[in-house]
Amino acid sequence: MRRGVGGVGPGRLPAARSPLRGEGTAVSPDLARRLADVRAATENLCAPLAAEDYVVQSMPDASPAKWHLGHTTWFFETFVLGPHRPGFRQYREAWAPLFNSYYVAAGPRHPRPERGMLTRPTVCEVHAWRSAVDGELQELLRSPEGQRPEVAAVAELGLQHEQQHQELLLTDILHAFSRNPLGPTYRAARLPAGAEEAPAGWREHPGGVVSVGHPGGGFAFDNEGPEHRVLLQPHALASRRVTCGEYADFIADGGYRRPDLWLSDGWAAVEAMGWQAPLYWSEEGGVWARFTLHGWQPVDRAAPVAHVSYYEAEAYARWAGARLPTEQEWEAAARHAAAEGQFVEDGALEPLPGAGGPLLGGTWTWTSSPYVAYPGFRPWEGALGEYNGKFMVNQVVLRGGSCLSPRSHLRPSYRNFFPPQARWQMAGIRLAR
Amino acid sequence: MRRGVGGVGPGRLPAARSPLRGEGTAVSPDLARRLADVRAATENLCAPLAAEDYVVQSMPDASPAKWHLGHTTWFFETFVLGPHRPGFRQYREAWAPLFNSYYVAAGPRHPRPERGMLTRPTVCEVHAWRSAVDGELQELLRSPEGQRPEVAAVAELGLQHEQQHQELLLTDILHAFSRNPLGPTYRAARLPAGAEEAPAGWREHPGGVVSVGHPGGGFAFDNEGPEHRVLLQPHALASRRVTCGEYADFIADGGYRRPDLWLSDGWAAVEAMGWQAPLYWSEEGGVWARFTLHGWQPVDRAAPVAHVSYYEAEAYARWAGARLPTEQEWEAAARHAAAEGQFVEDGALEPLPGAGGPLLGGTWTWTSSPYVAYPGFRPWEGALGEYNGKFMVNQVVLRGGSCLSPRSHLRPSYRNFFPPQARWQMAGIRLAR
Amino acid sequence: MRRGVGGVGPGRLPAARSPLRGEGTAVSPDLARRLADVRAATENLCAPLAAEDYVVQSMPDASPAKWHLGHTTWFFETFVLGPHRPGFRQYREAWAPLFNSYYVAAGPRHPRPERGMLTRPTVCEVHAWRSAVDGELQELLRSPEGQRPEVAAVAELGLQHEQQHQELLLTDILHAFSRNPLGPTYRAARLPAGAEEAPAGWREHPGGVVSVGHPGGGFAFDNEGPEHRVLLQPHALASRRVTCGEYADFIADGGYRRPDLWLSDGWAAVEAMGWQAPLYWSEEGGVWARFTLHGWQPVDRAAPVAHVSYYEAEAYARWAGARLPTEQEWEAAARHAAAEGQFVEDGALEPLPGAGGPLLGGTWTWTSSPYVAYPGFRPWEGALGEYNGKFMVNQVVLRGGSCLSPRSHLRPSYRNFFPPQARWQMAGIRLAR
Amino acid sequence: MRRGVGGVGPGRLPAARSPLRGEGTAVSPDLARRLADVRAATENLCAPLAAEDYVVQSMPDASPAKWHLGHTTWFFETFVLGPHRPGFRQYREAWAPLFNSYYVAAGPRHPRPERGMLTRPTVCEVHAWRSAVDGELQELLRSPEGQRPEVAAVAELGLQHEQQHQELLLTDILHAFSRNPLGPTYRAARLPAGAEEAPAGWREHPGGVVSVGHPGGGFAFDNEGPEHRVLLQPHALASRRVTCGEYADFIADGGYRRPDLWLSDGWAAVEAMGWQAPLYWSEEGGVWARFTLHGWQPVDRAAPVAHVSYYEAEAYARWAGARLPTEQEWEAAARHAAAEGQFVEDGALEPLPGAGGPLLGGTWTWTSSPYVAYPGFRPWEGALGEYNGKFMVNQVVLRGGSCLSPRSHLRPSYRNFFPPQARWQMAGIRLAR
């Protein structure tokens, strides 16, 4: 299983494709400041970690926190400073292969499952590297070279890329901590319990031809385009996400013991991995608890369920007499929805009660759509083009972002993707019919 | 990896869904005769086999010939005779779990990878069983019970199911023989060499809303419906399939050594399995040969290439500056195409030169479409409903049938499916753009 | 896990090492007749098999019956006829790699786990091959070349090798049949139940320097020599083998649930493989049954226990407050014991009640001795030298033969060997202290 | 593969078995001081490590440095302070399962391959734990309870156990650093090159009955006893170990490409793991380098070869026309040898030129002896009894210690053991014939 978002990649780099769009991005007067903010935010997320916590790779799909710090820095060195900053030299040449995720065209790569073997460079050394690169970036953006649209475009991409890794960093730390019987907490807190939610309603859509994909204006990854028209069937979308309480009812009704509810591959996963509940859930004496970045917490029936695989989402939907939405159905709704939600920037590390309504934030939403190219899709040229297109098989699209996503990183056309068995990302369920 | 077509299943059983359609099937005056013909055809396909050849399971996805003989017979016992023939008793009760492929609701199942362990019942005993069941079927169809539309519907399904297994039987025997260094031949023959094909042309389609899915009237599997409208983009379909010669050019150009041509999972497969050419191809002294049901044969540059995975088809398309068609694009073309081709009933065991044009027969065509439900899809109820729907993840759609398919089994709406790494089925490539 | 006896090998080939010994073998006037008898005996063992039964390889350590028939024939072609019969040509050159077990110096070898893929040559063809080779062997032994001591030596080796494979053939058929839920029987029979055995007594040995290893005179494998002196500690050997009843008491006492009774690797095997009883035992409603060449039979408390691994034998001994004997202790006792027992030639396919006393026949006895070279051991030169020596690591010595062994094949110095986890050979337990 | 020495265990605990011996140990007036020295020495070994270096588990057989620090501390808590210090309470109860290696009777155990997942407790916290336990130990040894022979015995065992883990800690750090392409150094140094060694001589032994095993007087592990007599054959032992130069000649002569030189399992390991040289050796442009605790160094032809498996040692011996010594042959020589050598306490981290002669220190010596119990062996009772006896299968004995061993920890009767494929411990070769 390879992670979807992965070392995640770049995308629709406007300058190279369309001068207009490149320009559009470049004129952003606040890029240098936003860049500094985003880089600092990453480091703030690491504040609660001990040096030891940065090193561990708890499964091949996850990466150590230190690796995220280094990889995002390598990204700026490789795609921004190297090509665009005159006289720039890598901070440490030998580190490049260690922090190249999967860009074959960008040179050799340390094997992904070996990332946890790298005790050196130390956290301290990586921070020094970040600092040096940040300085160079700021100087570049203030220099004449930094005014070129393609520089702004690729710097913006680096910023968005860093935001993706902010969510991944937290996602991977949660997984790493979950492997420790001591149950370490990332941030101590007692989560409030919500009142049980009323049943979800249905929002009808009459079907017909609609536009999906990124309409232009502002940043987007290449896999969000081109915008195009599709023919939707009449359908309805649930007014909120499935809650932990509803999911617990599915479990109590034998959901994990009835093969008729599951896709064949899903049932095989249930049996092979012994799934009996979402990832991080544990039951003792009939009471469910879940492991979170706040340590062990009681399962709150009112909160949106998270950390389910596509297989579980799909089986739940069948049990509930519904189905999952297609990504087009979801996007048609999101185009008109308010952009409210709960985000890491607001201090949310868990999808809280009441977060089930908004379409953005809270938990990612599994769709029923396999991750494939839009008609007319063209990946970026060069090494950056490797990064979304080559994953377009064996993955399922998720939409909407989670509470671990930075708010400014999300939009209705955003396509995340993970293999159907993946559970460690914060993914939940919204029904359709 | 689980096979797509699998023990393959039933589907749109008309009677239960729609009396009209059930009727339509039931009135077929020749069902009893067709049934006798199809059952006999299966046995004719086994004529060249030694008793030892029936037993071997050459990989978990393949099944022994004896198992195909038994499974199709179990299918008639379980779904036709058991429910509909008064007083019917299974020939041997203990055999049922051995020959139940994956129908959880139909009782216990011998593990799929263990099918090659079953030396008993012997081939002889299985033939006796077939004969007894054939007798019962004929009597049922001549009895008053046999006149009921739902009986005709499910008997028709058994017939279609048996046809699917005819192709699987040959597909699996080829694989089994390929594991033997002695290179046994199923049928001795020297294949004629064709003249190299002229470059393929392009057949343009203007796009727009079209109907796809089975329009009703005659048998169809449940996954072929319901018929529905989709919005196609303007596109073009190649006038014929990719030939062995063209594919050899791809190999010679380093196709299997360039990661930039491959999906990420595809390249992982190339590396993990050491792929250097289609399955069954072997090179010595710069000359390619391929293993066939006629034993080892020279690779004929004019013949359609076969036994490639989705990953290879997709990489080839990228190398050729094209792409694979969606299943909707393919079906739109096939609705208007002549139903010519080369089929096992004509004695074809290999896609011969000149077979690249027809849309049906020759080789299956990989599409770019993941195998998902059509809007409004409803699987059949009961055990038979397990059989197409539960495989709708991690598979890719193939269209059109192959030379190993019985002619009467194919139609434009027919959806076959295999995992993207599968190569032992007779699958080839037709480009789109 | 690789089988101990394996394709088993040759050994102390007297002629090449010592003319005297070679002579000794060569003068045997009845070699030709014995050879004919042994070859025919192998085929008689196959009489109950259907053609399908010959093909299956039920695990990588086991071999198909057809392979045993072919391998022993290949052995005569390669080591007797090829070097010694003027003008001899292989029956089918292409078959040699298929039936070469592990003799690197004798040419290429089909991978061991792939033996079950070989539906061709058919059983019929292998029988024809055997017949042709038998004819050649008889002619060789009647010719002047056949009178040379080295020919007699290697022909004798071929005979002994064939006898080893007789036991392996039955051992592997039992395993293959056990994989079939129908529980086929090799020979129908209802086994008699014995009266429970009285407790075993102890036969004391005062210790001191004794001789072990083959003393010369008659055939022996190379690993049985040279004869040498060892210093034994005072000890005692049980008067009979452990019975099924005693072993059932061990199970009932939680033997398979108490890690303190097991070697660390043994306990790992218990957990990894879910062992709860000897191989082929099954419990229903508190009653134990075992699968045998006579099909399913009740477990007879009076019969010697069989089909236990070294780990189980060792754990049982600890539970019983005793230990397993060293191979030297066992051999010191066997040198003075009567050569009675139960053997396949007497029609025994199971170790029957009362068979626990004899030191030869019944079941093999696990010793506590790792399989290592005797001081001064020298393997045979050439390809035949590969065959005992190269297995001298990760194996444990078993002594005494079983009821599936031909009587004439056994002697006190005979060393069999299997990995400690192997259970499909007919191995039992005799305690020491 | 499980490591031999493992969390290594206790053994001949004199007090419990024999008051005399217990007394002998207890009267040692310097136990408290030696204990303080040994505990401090462990921490000194960690001085060059960054916090990140303590966490990584580079393979299932290895353990993180932090784990070694914690496990040895847990050992004192569990076996010394818990039973013998009135009112003692564990420092942190929840940590016990994390640092229990394999003592089933001492409670639950975190799975061995998961040790690298434990970022908490941090290094800092573990050091605080060590300090607290050291204080308690010193107080116990100064208290009346500390004067009891059984307390001294088990404290002495804790000390010896800690010394074993000192070597393991360095062994595992070397392995962990070897997984990092940056090639970190534990201690910077340029190793001196030696002059090539003269050919080894042979030291003859006439054979006959000799005594082996620990003769009593001073500490020994249970597996070293009881002392007993064995009958040796006449033999000769090489005057020094095999050098890197000699081993390089073996490589150059195709040693890793000739199956006839290898045990069957050894050759399988060569092929499965792609071995072409000792662990940590790397070749570029015909020149060999090796990775050491001093980083990458040129291979010195004069230094003893290290980091070879039993398979490689055995194959080398066959190539050299010799064999490996039995452990009894080695011990007979070591009983009369001077106890010189190179040890970690002298600052040696590599077996240096000239170290090939001494029987103790430098590198461990592979013997040809499988690791089995001595006649009359009785493991210690209780949890401590688990620790040597339960590994007596599938392992080979090594003798003599290495330069990473503390000098005071070694003696002629000391038996180390590893599986035949293990290479990460500092093991070398001394020939016999």
Side-chain angles (χ1 to χ4, degrees), chain A residues 1-4 61 371 386 389-396 417-421, chain B residues 259 261-273 275 309-312 314-315 318 394 420-421:
Chain A
M1 190 178 74
R2 189 182 27 68
R3 95 180 315 156
D61 289 320
Y371 177 51
E386 287 186 46
K390 76 180 184 183
F391 300 117
M392 290 177 168
V393 69
N394 301 329
Q395 313 247 8
V396 182
F417 50 90
F418 279 91
Q421 72 274 27
Chain B
L261 293 175
W262 296 76
L263 289 169
S264 181
D265 285 3
W267 184 247
V270 167
E271 292 201 311
M273 322 224 205
W275 289 347
S309 64
Y310 172 74
Y311 294 135
E312 288 161 299
E314 206 268 352
R318 186 171 293 113
N394 301 329
Q421 71 275 26

Side-chain angles (χ1 to χ4, degrees), chain B residues 186-262:
Chain B
Y186 171 82
R187 184 194 302 159
R190 171 159 302 191
L191 294 178
E196 182 123 6
E197 294 269 355
W202 293 101
R203 295 176 186 158
E204 303 288 339
H205 188 289
V209 172
V210 301
S211 283
V212 295
H214 192 258
F219 177 86
F221 287 107
D222 59 355
N223 64 3
E224 297 172 54
E227 190 181 23
H228 62 288
R229 292 186 312 145
V230 295
L231 175 53
L232 294 187
Q233 311 292 323
H235 64 275
L237 201 64
S239 61
R240 61 162 173 77
R241 290 190 190 79
V242 171
T243 63
C244 291
E246 289 164 336
Y247 200 87
D249 293 342
F250 166 70
I251 298 174
D253 193 39
Y256 285 87
R257 295 191 305 271
R258 289 175 48 190
D260 59 302
L261 293 175
W262 296 76

Side-chain angles (χ1 to χ4, degrees), chain A residues 53 114 119-120 123 179, chain D residues 52-53 114 119-120 179:
Chain A
D53 299 329
E114 306 273 310
T119 65
R120 313 291 180 91
V123 174
R179 301 287 298 273
Chain D
E52 291 89 336
D53 298 329
E114 306 273 309
T119 65
R120 313 287 180 93
R179 301 287 299 274

